[in-house]
Every structure is written in structure tokens, then in C-alpha cells.
Amino acid sequence: MSGKKAFKPKARRPRGFEDKPASVLRAEFRLIEAAVKVYDAWGFEPLQTPAFEYADALGKFLPDEERPNEGVFALEDDDGQWMALRYDLTAPLARFAAENFQDLAKPFRRYQYGDVWRNEKPGPGRFRQFVQCDADTVGAAGPAADAEMIALASEVMRAAGLKDGEYVVRVNDRRILDGVLEGIGASDPGLRMKVLRAADKLDRLGRDGVAALLGAGRKDESGDFTEGAKLPDASIEKVLAFLDSTGGTRGEVIARLAPLVSASETGEAGLAALTEIDAVLTALMVGEDRAVFDPSIVRGLGYYTGPVFEAELLATATYADGQPMQFGSVGGGGRYDDLVARFTGQLVPATGFSFGVSRFAAALAALERGVAEGAEPLVIVLNLEKDRAADYLALAAELRGAGVRAEAFLGGGNMGKQLKYADRRGADIAVIIGEDERQNGQATIKDLKLGAKLAAEIEDNRTWREEQPAQETVARGDLVKAILGRIKGANG
């Protein structure tokens, strides 16, 4: 007999990946379901694309020859081509639209949800795999399509259980800042990118921090120095005036922006787009409290080509120590007319909206909002006579047939252990049919949630034992009706 010990791998989770318990998954499923109902109602069609795409289809995330896994998880197929797990859901959509362009009804309106993967350094709250949920329109030019996306995003916020005033969709057009940059002679691509990056940090660094990055540069708290765009003072003031244009009605923001882009054709086009978006949103009854114009929104450097927007949560929750919990942006989107053109060589207009499911669902759970609620009430049928398992399974099936979430206990243990299992499962009701109940044609209903609540309130043990308000015995034929009544009563 060999003395070599059998290999036992250590149970460990790869860095940057997470296990999700039932409570988290249910919240995410409910959020996706709420969004999908909106997308379906607005005429979007579902699409599923593979987890893998050819690496060269991922655009700027294409692995280079020296580092094939940079940014993505890639592998070489047996035909020598590199494949990578999708980085987002937009690049697969662009590939699908280009591959099937002749056969698609255009505009092509699709929604998709699923996992995406990023080969980046993990950290607190930063995962390498997460779920996105997108809706896009491919083949529709013009601001009306962008306005519809903004209205759609606002409707998803409502469907998620948020009230108006608890969220806002912030809207801008990238061409307006381009027009400002043209006006100050900063159209060089490298300089433009530095200005865009500085503007994108307004929320984090404030006005003074952005001003430093537009000028000579900025040293952060750690002592690291970031070289600035080196704009002259007059040009810095004009960019800051652009960022300061937010506040008030959509019309008031447009009026403030107009003189800043009067000398730029590009800027005028962006302003005209915002004007039309305002008209469409007004027609769709998306009020000023639901969608605002905010020039500081410059998301997606090098990706978006026109209107851009972010869905931000305004509602706050508090940590255990009373400190406010800020959520910020939970999704966003905009126009990206260049993405399909990478495959076709032709300009194909496209606009879309995307949100991160885990982040949004976690925020809703902290806010105790609608779709973050738990599962439907669970009923567990105890298995008290081992030779009658079929009867208990049949009863659970009978309850499910009446629309009740139910299971029959199939493990071992006496009634006490089975009730403990029901508690650990978070069950609402336990059904008890032992030998006595069966012979008398009865069933006992034990309301576990009500029992726990009353146990905390009743101080007199004798009263508790005598009254047993959370437990009742009914005729077997009335069992389903009695359980439905308790569930309906518990749900108000």
C-alpha cells in the first residue's frame, strides 16, 4: 500500500471573482426582470451573444502581440486566432449588427443582459466578472433616438422602485465641449484628451483640481504629480465656464452654453441636439426633475460621439455609524456612431443605455426599494412520517399549483430539527401533518415569521403556550386556502 497522500485541493475562490448568495441573486434577477419589462414594452427585442468574441473585434481592448491577456481574458484557438471573453455587451452588438446587417430590420432595437469579464487588478468592490444590462438602437440617426434612450433610462429607474426625485439622468453632448476646445485652439487630439480627462474629474477633484489639470498640473495627496494640459488662463476660464453651465432648467443650460460655442460648427451641432432632446423629453413627459442637462458629463473618452448621459441615484442611505451612503452613477450611455463602422467601413448610427446590475441592485437593497425585496414567501412541508414522503411531496406540489412557493423536507431529523431548518431557510410557514393530524384529517400551520415577531412581544410564557397565536390547526381540505389567506394577510 502506497504511503502517498491523496491530493486535496484547497477550497479557494479566484481573486476578483465572487460567490453570490440567494439574497443577492434574487435582487439582481428582480432588477433585470423590471428592466426587461420596460425594454419589451418599448419594442426592444432580446439578443444573446457568445461569452467569447474574436479579440480583434473588441476594438481598443484588442490584446497586443506581446501581452495577449492585457485587459481581457484571452486564449488562442486551434486555428491560431485569439478569442477573448467579452469586455462589455456593446462590442458584441457591433459585431452582430455588422455580420447580419443586410438581414436586420433597421433600426435594430435590442436588449441584452449577461456576464462580462475584465482582466484588471481586483480590489475592494472591483470585480473581474460582473453583470451588465443594455438596451441599444442601431441604425437610427438624430437626437430623437438619443432622447428616447434617456427617457428609457428614466423609466428603468422608476421600474426599479425609485420615486421621481430619488434619481436623475444627467445629459450632455460631447460635441459642445469639442466646440469650446475649437474656440480656444485646443483641437489637437492629445491636448483634447487631456482636457476631457480633466473635465471628467470634476466630481472627484472639484473646480480647483480641474483648473490645475487644465493648467500646469496637479500633485495629489500621495505626492504623485499629473502633468496638466498647459492651457493659458483665458482658455482655462472658458472650459470652467462650460463646466459651470449646469443648474436650472434644460432651456436655461442651453442658453448659457450658446455663447461658448457660437464660433464652432461642431459645438452648434451639439447644442442643436440638446435642443431637440429637450423637446422630445418634454413630449414624453420626462420632467426637469427626471432628466437635466449637465455639461460636466463627459463619459466614455474616445468612445461616444454625441449625446451622453448618466443615471445617478440621489436617494441616500446610512451606514451603521450614521454616515451617509452615497451611490452616484449606476448606469449611463450615449451615441457611438463609429463602432459598427470598424467592421463595415460605413458610418452606422447607434445609441444605447447600460447599467451594472450588481452595483444598482446593491444600492436598491441599501435603500430598501421595491425590486431589491426578497423572494416570494416560502412554505416548508415537514416530513414527520418517513414512509409517507410521497404524500408530503404531493402536498408541496399542490401548494405550488396554487401559486405558493413550497418544498417538502427531504433530510433527516425530528420535528425540532426540521423547524430549525425552516428557520435557517427563512421560511414563512411550516406545515405539520404527523400521525395524529393525518388520522383526524387535519393539518397544522405554523406561521414562523409571525411567531418570531410575537415571541419578541409577549412576556407572559403561559399566555404564549395557551394562545399560540401563530399556529392553527385546520381541516386538510382547507389547508391551501388557509395558507393563501395568511400569505395575503402578511403582504397587506
Side-chain angles (χ1 to χ4, degrees):
M1 181 176 177
S2 171
K4 188 176 180 181
K5 291 179 67 175
F7 171 70
K8 292 198 326 187
K10 181 180 178 182
R12 65 203 188 281
R13 180 168 43 86
R15 292 187 312 116
F17 296 88
E18 61 177 335
D19 297 317
K20 295 180 181 179
S23 58
V24 171
L25 286 174
R26 290 191 189 283
E28 294 187 4
F29 290 161
R30 285 174 179 268
L31 177 55
I32 291 170
E33 183 181 31
V36 163
K37 283 182 178 178
V38 175
Y39 300 154
D40 271 326
W42 287 50
F44 289 78
E45 298 287 347
L47 174 70
Q48 179 174 301
T49 58
F52 277 94
E53 294 284 341
Y54 282 117
D56 59 11
L58 298 180
K60 65 178 180 176
F61 306 115
L62 167 66
D64 61 35
E65 292 181 5
E66 299 299 321
R67 295 184 299 172
N69 269 333
E70 183 69 14
V72 295
F73 291 98
L75 60 88
E76 190 175 14
D77 203 358
D78 56 9
D79 61 359
Q81 297 187 78
W82 280 93
M83 301 188 302
L85 286 170
R86 62 192 180 205
Y87 190 95
D88 62 11
L89 298 177
T90 310
L93 169 64
R95 186 270 306 159
F96 176 86
E99 194 172 10
N100 300 277
F101 199 73
Q102 300 305 319
D103 300 324
L104 292 176
K106 290 175 281 292
F108 174 55
R109 297 159 70 84
R110 86 87 175 86
Y111 66 84
Q112 182 174 358
Y113 55 88
D115 291 289
V116 298
W117 293 265
R118 300 189 179 180
N119 189 3
E120 299 171 346
K121 186 177 180 180
R126 187 180 182 88
F127 296 102
R128 289 168 161 172
Q129 177 182 359
F130 50 94
V131 180
Q132 286 187 329
C133 185
D134 293 15
D136 295 80
T137 299
V138 178
D146 302 303
E148 184 189 39
M149 276 296 160
I150 293 162
L152 183 77
S154 179
E155 199 61 31
V156 168
M157 298 296 109
R158 279 180 167 179
L162 295 167
K163 300 180 180 68
D164 293 352
E166 293 186 325
Y167 68 90
V168 68
V169 182
R170 301 190 183 278
V171 185
N172 187 25
D173 191 299
R174 290 285 300 277
R175 291 169 295 181
I176 297 175
L177 180 54
D178 288 342
V180 172
L181 297 181
E182 284 180 12
I184 61 175
S187 295
D188 172 77
L191 181 58
R192 175 179 175 274
M193 191 59 69
K194 282 188 176 181
V195 174
L196 287 171
R197 287 200 177 103
D200 201 31
K201 292 180 172 63
L202 181 65
D203 280 350
R204 186 159 59 85
L205 301 181
R207 198 175 189 274
D208 291 343
V210 172
L213 289 175
L214 292 172
R218 177 181 178 275
K219 183 181 290 187
D220 63 21
E221 295 79 3
S222 69
D224 290 340
F225 181 78
T226 302
E227 187 177 352
K230 296 184 173 59
L231 295 179
D233 289 346
S235 297
I236 291 173
E237 284 306 313
K238 195 164 186 180
V239 174
L240 292 175
F242 163 80
L243 296 175
D244 290 340
S245 298
T246 191
T249 67
R250 296 191 290 252
E252 288 169 346
V253 174
I254 289 172
R256 289 190 209 106
L257 290 172
L260 298 177
V261 296
S262 57
S264 166
E265 207 173 293
T266 301
E268 290 280 8
L271 203 62
L274 286 189
T275 302
E276 184 173 343
I277 286 171
D278 179 35
V280 173
L281 291 177
T282 301
L284 292 174
M285 294 185 290
V286 179
E288 305 277 352
D289 61 332
R290 299 175 66 196
V292 301
F293 289 167
D294 184 346
S296 70
I297 302 298
V298 290
R299 60 182 281 122
L301 309 178
Y303 183 86
Y304 292 108
T305 59
V308 290
F309 59 91
E310 288 190 355
E312 179 185 338
L313 295 190
L314 302 178
T316 59
T318 55
Y319 291 104
D321 61 2
Q323 291 297 311
M325 192 184 298
Q326 302 285 349
F327 301 109
S329 174
V330 293
R335 176 160 291 278
Y336 53 97
D337 289 346
D338 295 339
L339 212 56
V340 180
R342 292 183 57 249
F343 300 96
T344 63
Q346 298 173 286
L347 191 68
V348 178
T351 184
F353 166 61
S354 173
F355 66 87
V357 173
S358 297
R359 176 177 170 77
F360 195 3
L364 291 171
L367 292 167
E368 299 180 347
R369 290 300 182 267
V371 296
E373 294 170 357
E376 293 296 317
L378 173 63
V379 176
I380 292 183
V381 180
L382 302 193
N383 184 0
L384 300 178
E385 294 184 276
K386 300 304 180 186
D387 58 345
R388 293 189 174 274
D391 293 342
Y392 297 126
L393 287 165
L395 173 53
E398 182 183 345
L399 288 166
R400 290 193 293 270
V404 177
R405 184 169 169 246
E407 68 168 274
F409 183 81
L410 293 176
N414 59 24
M415 183 165 70
K417 289 184 178 179
Q418 293 187 39
L419 286 172
K420 186 175 181 180
Y421 166 82
D423 280 333
R424 294 193 66 178
R425 291 277 282 111
D428 296 74
I429 292 172
V431 176
I432 301 169
I433 302 179
E435 184 179 359
D436 291 343
E437 288 87 358
R438 176 172 53 80
Q439 290 179 351
N440 294 325
Q442 295 177 323
T444 297
I445 300 171
K446 191 173 182 65
D447 192 324
L448 302 172
K449 293 292 175 68
L450 179 60
K453 180 176 181 292
L454 294 176
E457 297 173 353
I458 295 178
E459 297 179 3
D460 188 336
N461 287 334
R462 186 167 61 84
T463 300
W464 172 255
R465 285 194 303 271
E466 290 176 357
E467 295 184 6
Q468 284 290 318
Q471 186 167 305
E472 65 172 324
T473 298
V474 300
R476 171 63 181 85
D478 295 332
L479 175 62
V480 174
K481 181 180 177 182
I483 287 176
L484 287 171
R486 280 192 176 258
I487 289 174
K488 185 177 179 181
N491 291 337

